[in-house]
Amino acid sequence: AGDTFKFYSEGEWKVSSSGKSVPIINPTTRTTQFKVQACTQEEVNKVMESAKIAQKSWAKTPLWKRAELLHKAAAILKDHKKPIADCLVKEIAKPAKDAATEVVRSGDLVSYCAEEGVRVLGEGKFLVSDSFPGNERTKYCLTSKIPLGVILAIPPFNYPVNLAVSKIAPALIAGNSLVLKPPTQGAVAALHMVHCFHLAGFPKGVISCVTGKGSEIGDFLTMHPIVNCISFTGGDTGIAISKKSGMIPLQMELGGKDACIILDDADLDLAASNIVKGGFSYSGQRCTAVKVVLVMESVADTLVKKVNEKVGKLTVGPPENDCDITPVVTESSANFIEGLVMDAQKKGATFCQEYKREGNLIWPLLLDNVKQDMRIAWEEPFGPVLPVIRISNVEEGVHHCNASNFGLQGCIFTKDINKAMLISDAMETGTVQINSAPARGPDHFPFQGLKDSGIGSQGITNSINMMTKIKSTVINLP
Ligand code: G3H
């Protein structure tokens, strides 16, 4: 298949029998950067069968040995920082420094997971029967955590490496085998990351990676009878997967419309820098990006001015130059963002900057005086476009946050911790940040979304637990 990257099955790099490939379009040049194999359903079957077989002996491999291999993979991953980061720059236009940070963060995540795993999985419970009414002390219950089997991991384009290892490492330390279906944009970075696990020496079939079009192998993977658990991060596809998948545990991290509520006593400089960092880093293509600012009218003019000063300093251009704002991932994404901007313009939003677009590159834009009837008040642009809604009381802000179909994170800026706690309690989101922008990390913190934002909770410890099941053995005394 010439310059087409191979997929990873049964511990080997393979060319698909389909003879077809999937192009990866560089968001900056809008030309084909790489190609990956378009795997067939038969190839998926083979991967699943080998994953199922490999898992049985992997689960019996001592925990400390599994941890040792993960530590090895983490070190190799960090050694390969440069080529992997280069792929991220070319495949998803992630700014060069952020791309390198993603790889290092991933190595750290894998190591932390190995350390956490030996502790979390190295202990169980001991229960006695006579604490429950009517029982004598004749039953001893021992619990341990056992793997689920084969885990299917589907990460998104915005963190093809980090959100892959956040599923791979907990799965493997817990004794599961893992099948990865990377996003098309970011697939080569993910294949390179998988190569690091290959070099670390994981037994064949314990980790595999299939590439191809979601439309061809997506449903086949998610509905595959061998899959015992799906960990997915992405958009609406997650909702479709949850409806089609079988009776298996799901871990889903989907969209967000993270609200940033600014009270009148807030440190406005702190709020402004967090709004710009939270709203515009990686051009707003993060599920945890600040996606709507809800500011008290009394401080709105000052805040908007401060935010605009900072927006004016953002650099715009190619990811190779480490610009703050880089082309968004696809042309259709840019078109979608533009649709939201045009709708807001038609309905009378105030444009703080001129709207400008060249190809997939959209200049950062703050939209003030956004009203409830505008699509951008509710929809997730996943781009460098941020709406500001002016509110006359806190309740209005909380109401807007809770009226969203999403419930990932939110943030509050105030100097009054008592107020902050009450507002946090009232916000229907998985996490509320006080005086900082929303963020998933540090990666051992719990991370979860309510409503359409997800199922279950992530974070290293939660993911390890989620990818195991409790097994009880009861000793019955005579
Ligand atoms: O896009 C979704 C990610 O989980 C966000 O992660 O907060 O580290 O950017 P982040």
Side-chain angles (χ1 to χ4, degrees), residues 210-412:
V210 290
T211 52
K213 278 211 159 78
S215 53
E216 278 164 31
I217 54 168
D219 280 354
F220 194 72
L221 277 161
T222 54
M223 294 164 78
H224 203 285
I226 287 182
V227 170
N228 301 112
C229 164
I230 302 173
S231 179
F232 174 93
T233 307
D236 290 350
T237 314
I239 297 177
I241 292 174
S242 70
K243 289 185 178 141
K244 288 185 205 161
S245 65
M247 202 184 76
I248 53 172
L250 301 176
Q251 187 181 46
M252 296 270 168
E253 180 203 342
L254 311 180
K257 185 72 184 171
D258 294 8
C260 176
I261 301 181
I262 315 282
L263 304 199
D264 41 20
D265 71 339
D267 175 338
L268 296 180
D269 289 308
L270 179 73
S273 45
N274 274 278
I275 288 168
V276 173
K277 189 164 169 274
F280 296 100
S281 55
Y282 189 36
S283 306
Q285 297 173 108
R286 295 162 56 236
C287 57
T288 48
V290 169
K291 299 217 176 87
V292 58
V293 176
L294 300 155
V295 57
M296 290 290 284
E297 183 66 61
S298 55
V299 291
D301 285 343
T302 317
L303 180 83
V304 167
K305 188 163 170 276
K306 285 179 190 288
V307 172
N308 279 332
E309 276 163 16
K310 291 181 194 297
V311 169
K313 290 190 186 131
L314 293 173
T315 54
V316 182
E320 287 83 358
N321 295 358
D322 203 37
C323 291
D324 299 311
I325 304 295
T326 54
V328 296
V329 69
T330 57
E331 192 175 338
S332 64
S333 173
N335 292 343
F336 176 77
I337 298 161
E338 185 164 296
L340 294 181
V341 171
M342 292 307 137
D343 174 78
Q345 186 174 46
K346 207 171 60 199
K347 293 174 183 160
T350 308
F351 280 47
C352 297
Q353 294 78 23
E354 193 192 335
Y355 174 69
K356 195 174 161 196
R357 170 181 172 187
E358 273 172 23
N360 293 358
L361 186 61
I362 294 177
W363 269 251
L365 178 62
L366 192 74
L367 296 169
D368 196 2
N369 296 304
V370 163
K371 301 284 181 268
Q372 303 291 327
D373 65 336
M374 298 178 190
R375 284 175 57 202
I376 200 153
W378 304 103
E379 293 180 45
E380 190 184 17
F382 235 65
V385 176
L386 182 59
V388 176
I389 297 178
R390 293 170 176 238
I391 51 173
S392 44
N393 55 58
V394 176
E395 289 70 29
E396 254 180 60
V398 172
H399 181 265
H400 186 90
C401 167
N402 293 350
S404 172
N405 56 322
F406 292 118
L408 189 59
Q409 293 206 0
C411 61
I412 311 159

Side-chain angles (χ1 to χ4, degrees), residues 4 16-22 36-39 216:
T4 304
S16 170
S17 62
S18 72
K20 290 192 208 148
S21 62
V22 181
V36 291
Q37 306 291 324
C39 291
E216 278 164 31

Side-chain angles (χ1 to χ4, degrees), residues 105 158-159 163 253 286-288 439-440 447:
R105 175 181 179 183
N158 61 351
Y159 285 97
L163 280 169
E253 180 203 342
R286 295 162 56 236
C287 57
T288 48
R440 170 166 48 109
F447 180 50

